[in-house]
Amino acid sequence: MDDLKGLLSASRLNRDCGQTYSSLLIPYTMTNLKIAIQKKGHLRDESILFLNSLGISCQQKNNQLITKCPNTNIEIIFLRDDDIPNYVNKNLIDFGIIGEDVIKENNNQTKLVKKLGFSKCQLVMASPKDSDINSINDLQGKRIATSYPNILKKFLDLNKIQSSIVQVSGSVEVAPCLNLADAVCDLTQTGNTLRQCGLEQFTTVLKSEAVLIENKLIKPEKQKLLDLIKQYANS
């Protein structure tokens, strides 16, 4: 949330000072860039705010999946987070904004251009408050529910822990309540949902944030957008 407030403050500052980055993009309206962002969730909201702060006016209306930004020829494509690297790697989309955790989980050979500093979160280990699992070593022989089996396996192997990985696609926090698992490995920003489910986190597996990825095609207009993002980041 602090990252989101920071983007809002920067956007207001640019507006109040009469400074907009959109003027840097308008001369290149004849170019055609495609940027993919997550189609729902807080990462979508913060990505839209980030693009708006660059002067790239972006809104998703009526759950549309493709929208063209006014005054530019930039298209914003709304996709499932797991699909964004695939479209970028196939050179169908120029840039993608995605969580670093997705790149790590899928072992994508995607070109990571820049960490963007918002949508920060952590992949953590957590267990029920009344559990005897309070450290990594306590996971030996236990069942762990997660939506990140590849990251979790690497973490367990690194720490020489043999556990059963229970892969679930969502609502990981309820797994211990339903006796599906003894602990969870889940992504969290504040830890509130974990606490509401009676879980306490005891170690961090991975820190993640929004990152910018790009395809391998060489386009002059791509570099202009990268320069714009760097100028914003340094302002």
Side-chain angles (χ1 to χ4, degrees), residues 193-226:
T193 304
L194 291 173
R195 287 190 289 271
Q196 289 170 2
C197 292
L199 303 176
E200 287 186 346
Q201 61 188 68
F202 56 86
T203 194
T204 298
V205 176
L206 175 76
K207 291 184 178 181
S208 178
E209 63 183 88
V211 297
L212 182 72
I213 60 176
E214 70 167 320
N215 65 23
K216 297 178 181 179
L217 296 180
I218 298 175
K219 291 183 180 179
E221 55 269 28
K222 284 176 60 181
Q223 187 58 50
K224 292 180 175 68
L225 182 57
L226 288 174

Side-chain angles (χ1 to χ4, degrees), residues 54-174:
L54 294 177
I56 304 173
S57 180
C58 170
Q59 291 183 343
Q60 185 183 25
K61 297 179 180 179
N62 302 320
N63 294 320
Q64 63 191 128
L65 298 181
I66 300 177
T67 182
K68 184 166 288 188
C69 303
N71 300 324
T72 73
N73 210 26
I74 294 176
E75 287 184 320
I76 307 300
I77 319 295
F78 297 89
L79 298 171
R80 288 180 65 254
D81 54 357
D82 289 342
D83 291 333
I84 292 177
N86 294 330
Y87 279 85
V88 171
N89 289 339
K90 291 178 180 178
N91 297 326
L92 300 173
I93 288 175
D94 298 290
F95 293 102
I97 297 177
I98 193 171
E100 190 176 3
D101 53 286
V102 176
I103 303 295
K104 299 286 188 181
E105 172 62 22
N106 294 293
N107 297 313
N108 284 300
Q109 301 299 313
T110 305
K111 183 178 179 181
L112 195 158
V113 180
K114 186 175 180 60
K115 294 186 178 184
L116 298 176
F118 61 88
S119 291
K120 293 182 179 179
C121 53
Q122 299 179 79
L123 186 64
V124 303
M125 302 295 308
S127 60
K129 292 180 180 179
D130 57 357
S131 169
D132 59 356
I133 302 175
N134 301 301
S135 69
I136 298 174
N137 290 333
D138 295 333
L139 293 170
Q140 197 73 250
K142 302 297 185 180
R143 302 165 299 164
I144 308 171
T146 187
S147 298
Y148 296 87
N150 294 325
I151 294 176
L152 177 57
K153 185 179 186 308
K154 288 181 180 179
F155 177 79
L156 294 174
D157 289 346
L158 181 64
N159 288 279
K160 299 180 180 179
I161 301 294
Q162 292 187 344
S163 300
S164 299
I165 297 176
V166 181
Q167 185 173 352
V168 294
S169 58
S171 300
V172 178
E173 304 91 342
V174 303

